[in-house]
Amino acid sequence: MRLPTPGAFSVKVPEGRLFLLGDTRGNSADSRYRFEEAEGGTVPLSAVKGALIDEDDPLVVGLRSAVPVGGGLLFLGAVSGVVALRLRRRAVTAATPMADTVPVPGV
């Protein structure tokens, strides 16, 4: 469901409150849609449940480092799968008697 985007507006955010905007502006029921309510659609800081994660946070650094490792493991798995498939085909071909050979009678 796409909400109609409000037109241009001006807002003064009181001390200790936040004016929230969604990432997808055309589909976010954010402070713009509560602009006519008390406090201009702002919310108190105490209503925010979360924390700012710094770019140097160990979790962020670890996740950023894990992405190339995961890509390398994915590549290694794909190469291993291709090698295993070729080895299996080669083993089946070696075990199968050749169909186009004709046995020599009396030998």
Side-chain angles (χ1 to χ4, degrees), residues 2-89:
R2 190 169 175 89
L3 300 171
T5 304
F9 58 90
S10 176
V11 64
K12 182 174 180 172
V13 180
E15 187 74 29
R17 297 187 68 84
L18 298 170
F19 189 84
L20 304 175
L21 294 174
D23 288 342
T24 310
R25 300 288 159 81
N27 195 23
S28 295
D30 51 24
S31 292
R32 297 172 297 159
Y33 295 95
R34 291 163 177 74
F35 190 67
E36 301 298 325
E37 296 175 9
E39 305 287 347
T42 61
V43 295
L45 284 172
S46 61
V48 176
K49 307 285 189 238
L52 176 66
I53 298 177
D54 188 22
E55 195 173 297
D56 297 327
D57 185 87
L59 177 64
V60 174
V61 172
L63 289 174
R64 194 178 304 131
S65 301
V67 169
V69 172
L73 288 174
L74 183 67
F75 177 75
L76 183 63
V79 169
S80 298
V82 169
V83 168
L85 183 63
R86 288 194 175 188
L87 288 174
R88 184 182 304 141
R89 285 184 181 166

